[in-house]
């Protein structure tokens, strides 16, 4: 196991009714920028609850609605301008990962002299940020408990993740009841995203992380049990709670502490979203089994066989048989139990027009991952997934 620093300063209020803790925002000043998406929080009544609480503590509230799924740099720029013009003290994101990610870069941009896109492509420029608070409404990205933010410039076909410890939320309200209304498509995509974060941490070349491996297997089993349960009954509290806590822990540094390697399926998917604006979790679910088939070889077969035995309970047969069965089972879970499309064509990617360009960028972004990937390898994975 390698040395590591594990630091998550986010105070998490988890469970029913925890929204009342929003009054703690008072600690950070008197002016808040409320950032949200396309309107789901208004339909659900969360908006009214949040506004009432913020008014109760006398905050001046400025609003930035309309953050898109796959949040755009144009929206971030608007938020930064609002912060600078009004001398905002803190940013409150109410929504899913897209809203939270936008809020983080707005918080960084508010105290930065240049264009916020620089903070997306040069994380080292992020030297401070306004405090970020979140009310999570969708279990998927783990953005509520980490320092990552993923922003797109779709006109340039660019989608990049940035990171700063200053982006880690000061507080996150995680009420599973707020996810009852999440659509079947987003519930499935979110579950696939949590699983993908876990796979990126699980398939590592760093020896010695027995505990981290078991954490990963637990998170995967949680998704396998509760993803379909939440689809079956969207108001199953235990299912929504399990997925919500799994989402935060899959990507807050716990699962890969001392054992992390570069991620690879995420860079491949980010290119798909950058060029085709598809749903992140769907892209991951489509690519993952093809990446697994590519990655299976004499050096990795034991790891894949462990995955099959420990996560899927596949016994009998040699390592290769178990490994292959586990990969088949993974693909089947995504398509048959989460009902996610199984091919890129089904999500609207008709041809291989941009594959070479996308593959070159994804391969560069995944240097040092579990198995080495050349641009040609990535292109092959895209073709297999088409
Ligand atoms: O826009 P609104 O009205 O809020 O509707 C959203 C949106 O249409 C809706 N939604 C959210 N909560 C809801 C709800 N609908 C009904 N009821 C609710 N309670 O769901 C749709 C998708 O929301 P979005 O925030 O885009 O989804 P998600 O949380 O999956 O975020 C995806 C983004 O996060 C990035 C992805 O690349 C993508 O841009 N990621 C961020 C990461 C991070 N910060 O650590 C890591 C991930 O790997 C990922 O890359
Ligand atoms: Zn993800």
């Amino acid at each position: 196991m390698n040395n590591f620093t594990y630091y998550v300063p986010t105070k998490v209020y988890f469970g029913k009714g925890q929204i009342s803790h929003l009054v703690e925002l008072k600690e950070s000043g008197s002016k808040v920028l409320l950032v949200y998406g396309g309107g789901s929080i208004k339909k659900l009544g969360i908006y009214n609850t949040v506004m009432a609480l913020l008014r109760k503590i006398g905050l001046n509230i400025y609003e930035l609605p309309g953050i898109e799924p796959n949040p755009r740099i144009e929206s971030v720029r608007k938020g930064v301008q609002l912060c600078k013009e009004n001398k905002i003290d803190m940013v409150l994101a109410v929504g899913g990962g897209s809203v939270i990610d936008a809020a983080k870069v707005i918080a960084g941009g508010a105290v930065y002299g240049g264009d916020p896109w620089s903070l997306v492509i040069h994380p080292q420029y992020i030297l401070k940020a306004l405090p970020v608070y979140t009310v999570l409404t969708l279990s998927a990205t783990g953005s509520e408990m980490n320092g990552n933010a993923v922003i797109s410039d779709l006109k340039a076909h660019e989608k990049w993740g940035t990171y700063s410890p200053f982006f880690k939320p000061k507080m996150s309200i995680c009420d599973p009841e707020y996810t009852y209304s999440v659509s079947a498509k987003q519930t499935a995509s979110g579950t696939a995203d949590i699983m993908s974060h876990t796979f990126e941490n699980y398939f590592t070349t760093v020896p010695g992380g027995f505990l981290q491996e078991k954490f990963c297997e637990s998170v995967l089993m949680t998704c396998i049990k509760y993803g379909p349960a939440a689809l079956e009954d969207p108001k199953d509290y235990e299912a929504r709670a399990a997925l919500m806590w799994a989402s935060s822990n899959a990507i807050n540094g716990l699962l890969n502490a001392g054992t992390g390697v570069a991620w690879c399926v995420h860079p491949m998917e980010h290119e798909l979203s950058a060029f085709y604006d598809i749903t992140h979790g769907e892209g991951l679910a489509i690519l993952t089994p093809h990446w697994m088939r590519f990655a299976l070889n004499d050096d990795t077969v034991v790891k894949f066989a462990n995955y099959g035995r420990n996560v899927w309970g596949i016994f009998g047969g040699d390592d290769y048989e178990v490994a292959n069965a586990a990969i088949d089972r993974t693909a089947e879970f995504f398509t048959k139990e989460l009902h996610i499309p199984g091919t890129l064509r089904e999500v609207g990617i008709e041809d291989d027009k941009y594959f070479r360009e996308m593959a070159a960028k994804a391969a560069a972004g995944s240097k040092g991952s579990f198995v080495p990937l050349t641009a040609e390898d990535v292109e092959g994975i895209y073709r297999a997934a088409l």
Side-chain angles (χ1 to χ4, degrees), residues 169-290:
K170 193 169 158 70
M171 178 179 102
S172 284
I173 309 280
C174 300
D175 182 340
E177 289 188 321
Y178 287 172
T179 63
Y180 283 173
S181 55
V182 174
S183 66
K185 174 189 159 95
Q186 292 294 343
T187 300
S189 302
T191 304
D193 192 21
I194 302 167
M195 291 177 74
S196 180
H197 299 153
T198 311
F199 288 138
E200 303 268 24
N201 293 330
Y202 186 64
F203 290 102
T204 174
T205 48
V206 181
F210 182 82
L211 177 63
Q212 293 86 328
E213 185 178 271
K214 296 297 138 192
F215 280 155
C216 288
E217 289 168 355
S218 306
V219 173
L220 292 169
M221 290 165 81
T222 301
C223 292
I224 291 164
K225 179 175 164 73
Y226 287 112
L231 289 178
E232 172 86 23
D233 176 6
K235 295 193 174 172
D236 178 338
Y237 183 82
E238 292 310 329
R240 291 297 192 180
L243 291 173
M244 193 170 248
W245 194 223
S247 85
S248 304
N249 282 291
I251 181 173
N252 67 5
L254 181 71
L255 304 191
N256 61 351
T259 57
V261 291
W263 289 18
C264 59
V265 180
H266 270 70
M268 285 187 238
E269 194 297 309
H270 283 171
E271 293 307 318
L272 294 180
S273 312
F275 279 76
Y276 296 98
D277 197 17
I278 67 167
T279 300
H280 175 62
E282 290 189 343
L284 294 169
I286 294 168
L287 293 173
T288 294
H290 295 288

